[in-house]
Amino acid sequence: MLGLRGPAFTFRHDPFLGDADEALVHWPDALVVMRDGVITGFGDHAAERPRHPDRLEVHHYPEGLIGPGFVDAHVHYPQMEMTGAFGETLLDWLQRYTYPTEARFADAAHAARIAALFLRALLRAGTTTAAVYGTVHEHSADALFAGAEGLGMRLIAGKVLMDRHAPDALLDGEDHGIPATRRLIARWHGRGRLLYAITPRFAPACTDEALQAAGRLWCDHPGTYVQTHLCETEAEIAWVRELFPAAASYLDVYVRAGLVGPRAVMGHAVHVTEGDIAGLRESGCGVAHCPSSNLFLGSGLFRLHDLAEAGVRVALGSDVGAGTSLSTLRTLGDGYKMARLRGARLHPAQAFWLATRGGAAALRLEDRIGSLEPGMEADLVVLDPRATPELALRTEGGAELADRLFALMTLGDERAVRATYVGGRLVHDREKAPA
Ligand code: GUN
Ligand code: ZN
């Protein structure tokens, strides 16, 4: 049995649907008790400690801030090495930088190397669950799942499906990548904490036959996920209109293929209509808000509050490598700035909700991860509100919880992640980690 002691934060309610100022709960001295990978006790230390009299090893973080591990609901691990590619908008960026980089994953050893680097980087960022795109290569998903299994992470991932408008080396054949996906589902879905996502890249890279086949596959495998991109840029939407003239909208392309519903996660959804918002809410699918990526590629300004207040399940995605950092704290800082450009304010309670409990709900995992509650899987992050001189200056004199969280998302990055726990095990310790 292991206990984590220190200041902690939890939520009273969804800060997009209820009062954001009232949503956060501050625990000045909490104890989280973990056993067999699960949280078995949580509460004020003075009350909780006597309930666990024997053999409790306690890691004490008196200067820390304990929260649920972060959820990154949209990220491309093969793009880690091309993060920060200069000067293009989405469609040119894909052709010029992304596809050549992903082609290198034909080499299984390269995939294994980058998968290991990527998973370590997630843990350094305090991210304990992610929904991850591989490349078109079957072994790209194997490499990632094998690495995540070794770390005990709850991970959603899949091999990308694409059969047009990219270099030949990256295209699925006439089988549309379906047999490879079937094999991956058989090997990995539901194994330990791993979950499979059927991953059609986006409508322009998939023929209608491929999308329909992906939809049938999803129907055949209840419990698996779908992840794809939706309405990221205006040029992309215009292209989809040309490619799928019979569809009523971009979202409708996926609806007609049977790819929209609970456990489907749509990346971006920047340029959406009121009809799209209603469709996203009613279908119960998740939307991954990727502010770093949208700002970097100049894709547009996501209508976060419109979607979240309408009841769409919104999560946060780094979208590396169009997003420029795997740090959830930095991505939230970008989310705040994007909200300002829309004239809105991303309250720190809303921000950390997106990155934890809200993200878990978008992924339909809210009964397992995203909260500090008995029965939840023991994935936690310990933040450090004094990690850098700038943060220390900003939070000195005991700032309020919301202000400390806001400082962390504005000034923080991996340096502000003191420790990360996965399945009740310490998997990243900033003080011990190699540089
Ligand atoms: N749309 C299709 N593929 C991609 C990708 O790899 N990144 C982003 N940001 N958008 C995409
Ligand atoms: Zn993406």
Side-chain angles (χ1 to χ4, degrees):
M1 258 203 306
L2 181 62
L4 292 196
R5 179 180 178 188
F9 69 94
T10 59
F11 293 95
R12 265 187 205 99
H13 54 252
D14 180 337
F16 287 99
L17 301 180
D19 183 345
D21 283 326
E22 296 293 320
L24 283 167
V25 185
H26 179 210
W27 303 78
D29 185 18
L31 181 67
V32 189
V33 180
M34 310 182 287
R35 181 177 202 158
D36 299 329
V38 174
I39 298 175
T40 54
F42 175 77
D44 186 56
H45 177 265
E48 193 65 26
R49 185 69 186 84
R51 301 182 54 218
H52 308 275
D54 41 62
R55 288 183 293 109
L56 183 65
E57 178 192 351
V58 176
H59 296 182
H60 193 189
Y61 299 99
E63 311 292 341
L65 185 57
I66 301 169
F70 295 137
V71 176
D72 183 342
H74 184 112
V75 58
H76 301 254
Y77 95 84
Q79 296 174 15
M80 206 178 158
E81 62 190 286
M82 50 155 287
T83 306
F86 177 76
E88 305 291 352
T89 50
L90 173 67
L91 300 175
D92 294 329
W93 174 87
L94 285 170
Q95 297 292 342
R96 177 158 178 204
Y97 300 112
T98 314
Y99 293 154
T101 305
E102 293 195 6
R104 299 182 60 195
F105 282 68
D107 175 4
H110 180 68
R113 173 171 166 255
I114 303 296
L117 287 173
F118 170 79
L119 291 165
R120 276 278 142 221
L122 285 187
L123 298 177
R124 266 205 314 280
T127 298
T128 50
T129 285
V132 191
Y133 289 61
T135 60
V136 73
H137 312 95
E138 184 173 349
H139 59 241
S140 72
D142 285 316
L144 190 70
F145 280 128
E149 183 174 52
L151 293 162
M153 287 177 80
R154 183 165 282 291
L155 196 90
I156 302 171
K159 160 205 144 36
V160 161
L161 300 170
M162 51 199 289
D163 65 345
R164 63 171 166 176
H165 298 141
D168 285 348
L170 282 181
L171 297 183
D172 287 312
E174 284 175 6
D175 64 17
H176 307 303
I178 299 301
T181 302
R182 255 186 224 288
R183 288 192 292 274
L184 286 164
I185 292 171
R187 276 203 288 284
W188 297 108
H189 181 70
R191 176 162 151 177
R193 303 183 73 196
L194 305 175
L195 297 161
Y196 196 82
I198 296 165
T199 307
R201 179 168 212 123
F202 69 153
C206 300
T207 57
D208 198 35
E209 298 74 59
L211 293 175
Q212 300 288 339
R216 284 193 298 275
L217 187 65
W218 193 32
C219 190
D220 288 347
H221 293 88
T224 60
Y225 286 75
V226 163
Q227 56 182 354
T228 188
H229 296 82
L230 174 73
C231 298
E232 183 175 354
T233 73
E234 280 168 342
E236 172 208 17
I237 294 168
W239 196 18
V240 169
R241 209 174 288 128
E242 267 173 44
L243 293 170
F244 298 90
S249 66
Y250 193 160
L251 180 61
D252 190 45
V253 172
Y254 296 140
V255 170
R256 293 160 121 212
L259 290 166
V260 179
R263 278 184 298 281
V265 185
M266 300 288 150
H268 302 286
V270 172
H271 305 277
V272 289
T273 62
E274 300 314 307
D276 292 333
I277 294 175
L280 291 166
R281 183 191 64 246
E282 283 155 22
S283 70
C285 74
V287 167
H289 171 35
C290 305
S292 171
S293 167
N294 299 155
L295 292 168
F296 185 73
L297 294 179
S299 304
L301 305 177
F302 181 67
R303 296 166 57 187
L304 171 60
H305 289 85
D306 291 343
L307 273 76
E309 288 166 12
V312 178
R313 292 171 182 248
V314 183
L316 188 78
S318 68
D319 196 28
V320 158
T324 53
S325 173
L326 285 175
S327 164
T328 287
L329 296 174
R330 289 191 60 179
T331 307
L332 290 175
D334 285 339
Y336 179 81
K337 293 169 195 165
M338 179 177 288
R340 294 306 300 138
L341 289 170
R342 291 209 72 91
R345 286 188 295 192
L346 178 55
H347 190 287
Q350 295 173 334
F352 281 80
W353 174 269
L354 286 180
T356 59
R357 174 65 217 251
L363 299 178
R364 301 279 170 166
L365 289 171
E366 67 269 38
D367 57 341
R368 302 192 177 187
I369 58 166
S371 308
L372 300 183
E373 274 172 47
M376 290 284 161
E377 295 171 3
D379 293 347
L380 297 102
V381 63
V382 184
L383 300 170
D384 177 0
R386 302 194 204 173
T388 64
E390 294 80 1
L391 265 168
L393 188 63
R394 177 71 172 69
T395 60
E396 75 184 6
E400 289 284 309
L401 173 64
D403 199 36
R404 249 180 301 157
L405 289 171
F406 189 61
L408 280 163
M409 65 189 252
T410 307
L411 304 178
D413 52 31
E414 287 86 344
R415 292 170 295 176
V417 175
R418 174 66 183 79
T420 307
Y421 290 79
V422 162
R425 278 193 321 122
L426 176 63
V427 289
H428 167 66
D429 182 342
R430 188 189 63 196
E431 308 297 296
K432 294 192 186 127

